[in-house]
Amino acid sequence: MTRSFSNPLRLLGVALVTTLALAPPLSAQAFKKERYPALGIPLVLRPRTFDPVPVQPNEGYVRLQWYERLPDPKRKQDKERRLRPKVMLVEIARPKVASGPKVEAEEGKEPEPRSRARGKGRGPVVDFESWLAGEFGGWTATDLGEGRKSDEYTTRQWRLHAPASDPSAKAYTGFAYTWADAARTFAVVGISAKEDEEEFDSVWAEMGSKLQLADPVGAEAEREKLERQYVGKYSHPDYRVHVAAAAIDPWKIENTENYIFVFNTRDQPLLRKVMRDIEALRGAYMELFPPAADFDAVSTVRICADKDEYMAYGGMQGSAGYWNSRTEELVLYHYEVQDGGRKDDANTFIVLYHEAFHQYIHYSSGELPPHSWFNEGYGDFFSGTRLKGSKVLKVDVNPWRCGTIQRAISAGRHVPWKDIIRYDQRQYYMNPAICYAQGWSMIYFLNRSKSVRTKPEWAKILPTYFETLKETYRTELERFTDEPNDGERFQAGQRAREAAVTAAFEGVDLDEIEREWATFTLALEDPRD
């Protein structure tokens, strides 16, 4: 699954699905003192029933965030909730106002605040309220009055209101406690269901009133330590240092030639297999899909401890992993399945092999996603990879997809080839079960069917598609004298994809290949039978 974030609540980790969360009675709520001197936070209280969740790598404002733990079935006192509470620590730097002649201001101006990521044209982020409006999806705030007295900071307390235009957020409420001076604003922002408002307001207020702020200490020394660890030993040390510096306890870091791994699992055999397998697969990808240009890109692989942590970090309901091209992260969790009392890691690696293809093809195609039948289909194709050590042995039938597409073909519910080869991602996701299964089966057929090898016009489909996609996109971008903007890149990508699919299926009788594909697919042995 490829992934882009559009909903500000999802991006910031607020679960938009019904979940259950743990909470003791308010009187029993206790806090743990935590210190983050490198962030300029000598002290922040964390509710003991909350666990830290990393922020997204491209996040410009949220420095720390915590989610309430999900309930333990063995603890009768754990409270079930309709929506899972979270609390964030947000830092908003005020843009410096240049003084003096205009020319001097332009030459020495400070970088603009990072409001472009999700501000959607609402204006620059300069204070707490503009952060809510721009970066937090249009939320608003009512000033509840002054907080704790301070000689250095202006403190305020706020009631937060979800935007009426967003039905998914109407069940939420929030409370914030802000500390502001001339340079920056810090905000403790708590979000919960409306029915839990009274319970958590005092928790968020306690965190806000006891927050301690100072100048950042130790960040430079930590960065220098990481630079000594990476420079001269690994490629792209600046990128690796950036990722490693952002890792918070209990997350750990490991490195290989082409990847940096951020993980929260104690299963060392699992981790070592993930590291070994993804490097082996990269070699296989490069043989099949030579990159548009020389590249040695390093990407992040994040392994969450379990599904709860994965969902809190930003995973979509019903998914087990995703590749986010904006943050250049492959994210998955340890997906164990109990089979007769035996733990089975097979599904973790099905997800890994799928998402690793998306991660590779992003760079290999020149950062242009192919059509979904090709992109998702090949991801699922590689999900069936069998490896021994660091060697790829074979690619088997995908156990998640085979039975689904066979049933769809038998019932006449599959998508005609003439349609699915031009589906965009939105159309593909509208019928995900069948489209994913069909995309896999099309790629498997084009790679494995003997009839494909006997017909040159069929055998050329996959290589022609990919080569045309790369070359056309490169040519389209070269037409611009200046760096193309996002809209221009999008249009160039649309033209490249259309050129690729047209060239790939030139001379192909789509009805004939669809009939042969259906016969081939129905004859496959479903691994789950």
Side-chain angles (χ1 to χ4, degrees):
M1 169 180 283
T2 51
R3 179 73 190 281
S4 61
F5 291 97
S6 58
N7 189 309
L9 289 178
R10 167 61 68 191
L11 180 62
L12 291 173
V14 177
L16 299 182
V17 295
T18 300
T19 57
L20 302 176
L22 171 157
L26 181 61
S27 60
Q29 184 62 268
F31 295 92
K32 180 180 179 181
K33 295 180 179 179
E34 295 193 344
R35 295 169 175 79
Y36 299 91
L39 296 178
I41 305 168
L43 176 67
V44 61
L45 300 182
R46 171 174 66 85
R48 287 189 176 273
T49 58
F50 282 57
D51 290 325
V53 174
V55 298
Q56 294 290 327
N58 63 341
E59 170 57 49
Y61 301 96
V62 179
R63 298 292 176 251
L64 301 166
Q65 62 182 356
W66 301 270
Y67 269 85
E68 191 177 50
R69 279 180 225 125
L70 294 178
D72 183 345
K74 298 177 182 178
R75 290 171 54 91
K76 294 182 179 180
Q77 66 269 39
D78 287 359
K79 182 177 180 180
E80 294 185 352
R81 298 192 191 281
R82 186 164 62 94
L83 299 169
R84 190 177 183 183
K86 71 166 293 184
V87 60
M88 301 170 287
L89 186 60
V90 178
E91 180 185 8
I92 304 155
R94 292 180 182 273
K96 295 182 179 180
V97 179
S99 59
K102 182 177 181 181
V103 173
E104 293 180 7
E106 287 295 318
E107 291 176 350
K109 68 180 181 180
E110 293 290 322
E112 294 182 1
R114 291 182 60 182
S115 59
R116 294 179 297 170
R118 296 177 305 283
K120 299 181 181 179
R122 297 177 183 268
V125 173
V126 297
D127 56 18
F128 178 63
E129 290 176 284
S130 59
W131 173 79
L132 281 176
E135 298 299 301
F136 207 55
W139 281 55
T140 55
T142 299
D143 191 339
L144 300 179
E146 187 178 18
R148 175 183 168 187
K149 291 285 186 181
S150 171
D151 294 333
E152 300 178 67
Y153 295 90
T154 299
T155 62
R156 311 299 299 179
Q157 299 180 80
W158 309 81
R159 166 65 56 216
L160 307 185
H161 312 286
S165 59
D166 185 356
S168 65
K170 65 182 180 180
Y172 286 96
T173 186
F175 177 93
Y177 197 112
T178 59
W179 296 71
D181 64 11
R184 58 184 178 170
T185 297
F186 273 97
V188 172
V189 181
I191 304 294
S192 69
K194 288 182 177 178
E195 61 262 30
D196 297 324
E197 177 183 293
E198 183 178 354
E199 176 179 346
F200 281 103
D201 274 0
S202 60
V203 177
W204 313 144
E206 180 79 358
M207 292 180 67
S209 66
K210 298 293 177 62
L211 181 67
Q212 293 182 13
L213 303 172
D215 292 332
V217 175
E220 185 175 343
E222 178 61 23
R223 186 173 185 87
E224 290 175 353
K225 178 182 175 181
L226 290 170
E227 287 174 349
R228 289 194 298 271
Q229 180 180 344
Y230 291 121
V231 174
K233 298 179 182 178
Y234 293 100
S235 63
H236 297 280
D238 288 346
Y239 177 83
R240 295 178 192 266
V241 167
H242 173 75
V243 172
I248 60 173
D249 189 60
W251 294 80
K252 308 298 182 185
I253 300 290
E254 289 280 0
N255 289 269
T256 61
E257 180 181 357
N258 296 299
Y259 298 91
I260 180 168
F261 298 84
V262 187
F263 60 94
N264 184 22
T265 175
R266 296 179 180 179
D267 191 333
Q268 286 298 308
L270 172 81
L271 175 64
R272 299 302 164 191
K273 180 171 171 57
V274 168
M275 293 167 62
R276 182 184 67 239
D277 286 6
I278 199 170
E279 283 285 0
L281 281 169
R282 186 174 175 121
Y285 300 151
M286 291 192 74
E287 287 185 15
L288 278 175
F289 306 102
D294 291 339
F295 82 102
D296 60 347
V298 172
S299 296
T300 303
V301 177
R302 183 179 294 273
I303 308 171
C304 299
D306 51 33
K307 182 179 180 180
D308 297 336
E309 188 169 67
Y310 167 79
M311 293 297 294
Y313 186 67
M316 294 176 65
Q317 186 71 10
S319 72
Y322 64 87
W323 155 246
N324 186 349
S325 60
R326 293 186 184 181
T327 61
E328 298 185 286
E329 272 198 335
L330 188 167
V331 183
L332 69 158
Y333 67 92
H334 191 179
Y335 187 4
E336 290 185 320
V337 176
Q338 294 284 357
D339 182 12
R342 180 177 61 87
K343 290 185 177 180
D344 185 358
D345 289 326
N347 287 331
T348 298
F349 291 93
I350 288 176
V351 174
L352 173 69
Y353 301 162
H354 178 113
E355 301 303 334
F357 174 77
H358 291 324
Q359 191 174 39
Y360 171 80
I361 210 71
H362 170 76
Y363 302 108
S364 182
S365 65
E367 301 188 9
L368 174 66
H371 279 93
S372 291
W373 68 270
F374 186 97
N375 199 8
E376 301 295 351
Y378 254 120
D380 275 334
F381 175 78
F382 282 110
S383 290
T385 302
R386 287 270 199 93
L387 294 102
K388 184 175 182 180
S390 59
K391 184 179 180 181
V392 176
L393 297 179
K394 60 184 296 190
V395 177
D396 285 335
V397 170
N398 186 312
W400 287 8
R401 309 302 184 199
C402 186
T404 300
I405 191 57
Q406 287 176 334
R407 290 188 292 273
I409 294 171
S410 298
R413 292 187 294 109
H414 66 278
V415 183
W417 274 50
K418 65 181 178 61
D419 297 327
I420 198 170
I421 60 174
R422 284 186 161 83
Y423 268 11
D424 60 23
Q425 188 183 64
R426 180 188 62 82
Q427 293 169 307
Y428 206 78
Y429 284 8
M430 286 177 67
N431 187 12
I434 289 178
C435 284
Y436 267 80
Q438 183 164 336
W440 162 77
S441 64
M442 291 166 67
I443 296 298
Y444 194 83
F445 164 74
L446 290 170
N447 276 282
R448 291 289 182 266
S449 172
K450 293 179 180 179
S451 63
V452 171
R453 294 196 289 271
T454 64
K455 287 182 173 288
E457 68 272 26
W458 294 4
K460 73 173 179 62
I461 290 173
L462 295 177
T464 299
Y465 179 91
F466 187 65
E467 290 303 317
T468 305
L469 183 80
K470 289 188 302 181
E471 290 304 313
T472 305
Y473 189 53
R474 181 183 58 80
T475 302
E476 287 284 341
L477 294 182
E478 287 176 351
R479 293 174 51 240
F480 297 98
T481 54
D482 297 322
E483 181 69 20
N485 59 37
D486 290 346
E488 291 168 334
R489 283 186 177 275
F490 176 79
Q491 293 298 328
Q494 293 286 76
R495 292 190 291 270
R497 277 187 285 265
E498 180 59 29
V501 78
T502 298
F505 289 93
E506 184 179 3
V508 175
D509 184 327
L510 289 172
D511 291 333
E512 180 188 9
I513 197 172
E514 185 175 324
R515 287 193 298 271
E516 187 65 29
W517 156 80
T519 300
F520 172 87
T521 303
L522 288 172
L524 293 174
E525 184 177 343
D526 187 345
R528 293 193 170 183
D529 287 346

